[in-house]
Amino acid sequence: MGLAAANLFRETSLFLALVAVGLAVAAVAVVPALRLVTVAMALLLAGWWWGSARLVALDRSVLLPKAGTAGPALVAVTGPARRSRFDLRVPAQVRRFDGEALGEPVLLRLPLGRSPPQGALLDLVGEIRLPRGPRNGFDERTWLRRHGVHVVLRASRWRIVGRRGGLAGLADGLRSRLARSMAPGIDGERRAVIAGIVLGEDEGLSDGLRARFRASGLYHLLAVSGQNVALIAAGALLFAWLIGLPRLIGEIGALAAIGGYVLAVGWQPSVVRAGIAGGLASLAWLVARPRDRWYFLLLGAALLLAWNPYSLLDAGFQLSFAAVAAIFVVVPRLQRRLDGYPLPRSLAEVIAVSSACGLATAPILVTQFGTVPLYWPGRSRLEASSAPSSSIRRLGSSPCADRRRLAASHGILRASSALGTARHVPRRRTGRRISPASSGGRSAR
């Protein structure tokens, strides 16, 4: 709560931090009945102070006053390039500008053509410009500012002079190896679909395919989710079991695999949340502690907000945590309501999860994007049959098998898009089917 409150009111005074520390110390001496309240107040004030300090740091920019100037720069590419109709848009960090050492994130805009690889150090002459303001319902300047980016660096030519090192360099290497091995023998838009599922990249997709994903309500498949992390952990545990290693080694391997995957795909809300949950689950087994899913969820949210309190306003953060909270709270209640209907248990679970996530995320979709896709309960079953095979396709399957599975995935996508507006005919508790006329002919949500 304190980290989130920093978005409304900022307070960076040292007095607030001292009060938080004082309450934490006092919690040891107070009576047990007041200890929980005292600790909660200490955490609230500490989170408020830390969140305010982080927002001040994110809003600070050395390059902003230099808007309109140009000079030589050393730039590190921090993410994959996105191609637009007019240029390449590359997330980057300015290491040096006009002889001054820096470490400020920027949006690098380059001419269309070959894109620099993630992790490359570029030598270029760039011009600092301000991001665009509100246009067509999107405010680029505000969106970039919430990610700590305040200027756009525009350059016409560049050359690679090295690569990043340290932990960032390790992450670049893991991502590069994963990208090379995930779909051997496949290229073009088909490879782009797999890259979206495995790495969360949608840069290679055409506008038409993006539109079909959005119309079918399946665009979230192109974002890395907890399912990917679960498959990685399960794969590590299964491999250890197959070669006869003890469970202890398997859990340690799962921790290493989750950490490597999170490093490879980057700092995305759904990935961090799922990575923390999976890592803590393995740690809980290693130290023989009970597992609490709410604790895992809230710890993931706290970590993201501690790094960037602006994440609370991000659509990805809101959708990710709202959907998981709905699964925890709403799905069990819907399943109990469906117990009296003649439905297979697996189908009832699919309907409950799809309906709960749809209801929880609909207000966010309307607020952030002004639209809500139609939800068809059977869509989740189609997703379950396509996404996992795409996520683990890189584990050595043949190119022919890859093509067959991807063709099936495209067929599922189009079928789901067509069936997204299908009418769901409910049943009475007696099992007798109600006619579409008497049910009002409502579309499935």
Side-chain angles (χ1 to χ4, degrees):
M1 291 295 293
L3 292 168
N7 287 288
L8 298 176
F9 307 101
R10 298 186 189 181
E11 181 56 61
T12 58
S13 66
L14 186 59
F15 175 75
L16 183 63
L18 293 176
V19 171
V21 173
L23 286 173
V25 173
V28 179
V30 297
V31 295
L34 298 177
R35 186 167 299 162
L36 181 60
V37 176
T38 306
V39 171
M41 288 297 298
L43 291 175
L44 177 67
L45 295 179
W48 184 19
W49 177 82
W50 175 260
S52 300
R54 283 296 300 155
L55 290 178
V56 170
L58 289 169
D59 289 343
R60 187 181 300 117
S61 173
V62 177
L63 295 175
L64 186 59
K66 300 182 180 182
T69 64
L74 178 65
V75 177
V77 177
T78 58
R82 296 186 65 89
R83 186 179 301 270
S84 68
R85 290 187 298 172
F86 307 106
D87 58 13
L88 295 174
R89 302 164 65 85
V90 186
Q93 182 190 56
V94 175
R95 298 286 182 87
R96 187 175 63 249
F97 182 80
D98 202 15
E100 182 180 1
L102 299 170
E104 181 172 336
V106 298
L107 176 63
L108 179 62
R109 301 184 69 172
L110 301 172
L112 288 174
R114 182 172 63 98
S115 59
Q118 180 175 330
L121 294 177
L122 309 181
D123 181 48
L124 52 84
V125 175
E127 179 187 0
I128 298 177
R129 297 184 179 183
L130 295 176
R132 292 193 298 264
R135 180 185 299 179
N136 299 326
F138 176 68
D139 189 348
E140 181 187 59
R141 186 174 303 170
T142 300
W143 188 86
L144 289 175
R145 180 176 63 86
R146 290 174 179 172
H147 292 79
V149 177
H150 301 278
V151 298
V152 174
L153 186 64
R154 195 172 186 89
S156 58
R157 286 182 293 182
W158 51 271
R159 65 188 181 96
I160 299 177
V161 296
R163 296 193 65 85
R164 292 193 296 179
L167 186 61
L170 174 62
D172 296 333
L174 289 172
R175 185 183 185 92
S176 177
R177 284 191 287 271
L178 183 59
R180 287 195 304 267
S181 63
M182 66 181 179
I186 295 181
D187 54 12
E189 199 166 67
R190 295 185 174 188
R191 182 182 181 87
V193 172
I194 300 175
I197 295 173
V198 176
L199 296 175
E201 294 182 7
D202 62 350
E203 289 79 9
L205 299 178
S206 65
D207 293 338
L209 186 55
R210 281 198 186 97
R212 290 200 295 272
F213 268 103
R214 290 192 179 98
S216 62
L218 295 176
Y219 199 81
H220 63 277
L221 290 180
L222 302 179
V224 179
S225 66
Q227 176 179 258
N228 299 49
V229 176
L231 288 172
I232 294 293
L237 291 170
L238 178 62
F239 178 75
W241 178 76
L242 288 175
I243 63 176
L245 293 177
R247 175 72 179 272
L248 176 64
I249 303 299
E251 293 288 352
I252 295 175
L255 275 174
I258 291 172
Y261 185 67
V262 172
L263 278 177
V265 300
W267 191 265
Q268 303 177 36
S270 59
V271 179
V272 175
R273 169 186 54 76
I276 290 175
L280 289 178
S282 292
L283 285 175
W285 187 91
L286 290 172
V287 299
R289 296 285 186 178
R291 303 179 183 184
D292 187 337
R293 58 184 183 177
W294 280 108
Y295 174 75
F296 295 167
L297 181 67
L298 294 177
L299 185 59
L303 180 61
L304 285 166
L305 292 176
W307 179 254
N308 184 353
Y310 282 134
S311 297
L312 182 68
L313 309 176
D314 185 73
F317 179 94
Q318 296 173 3
L319 291 170
S320 177
F321 285 91
V324 176
I327 292 174
F328 290 172
V329 177
V330 182
V331 167
R333 291 170 172 78
L334 289 179
Q335 287 179 318
R336 286 195 294 270
R337 294 293 299 270
L338 293 172
D339 283 344
Y341 290 85
L343 295 172
R345 184 178 181 83
S346 58
L347 179 58
E349 182 177 354
V350 166
I351 294 174
V353 172
S354 180
S355 301
C357 292
L359 291 172
T361 58
I364 301 172
L365 292 171
V366 171
T367 303
Q368 296 280 2
F369 307 109
T371 182
V372 178
L374 292 176
Y375 284 90
W376 175 59
R379 187 195 67 192
S380 297
R381 174 165 287 184
L382 294 176
E383 293 176 17
S385 64
S386 62
S389 61
S390 300
S391 298
I392 60 176
R393 189 170 297 150
R394 68 188 190 286
L395 296 179
S397 53
S398 67
C400 293
D402 285 339
R403 291 187 177 92
R404 287 195 297 270
R405 291 193 191 100
L406 192 56
S409 179
H410 276 283
I412 288 169
L413 172 63
R414 292 180 179 177
S416 177
S417 179
L419 292 171
T421 55
R423 300 185 183 278
H424 171 60
V425 182
R427 296 176 181 268
R428 295 188 188 274
R429 293 185 181 273
T430 59
R432 184 174 62 87
R433 184 179 295 273
I434 302 176
S435 67
S438 63
S439 66
R442 295 183 180 177
S443 297
R445 301 296 292 179

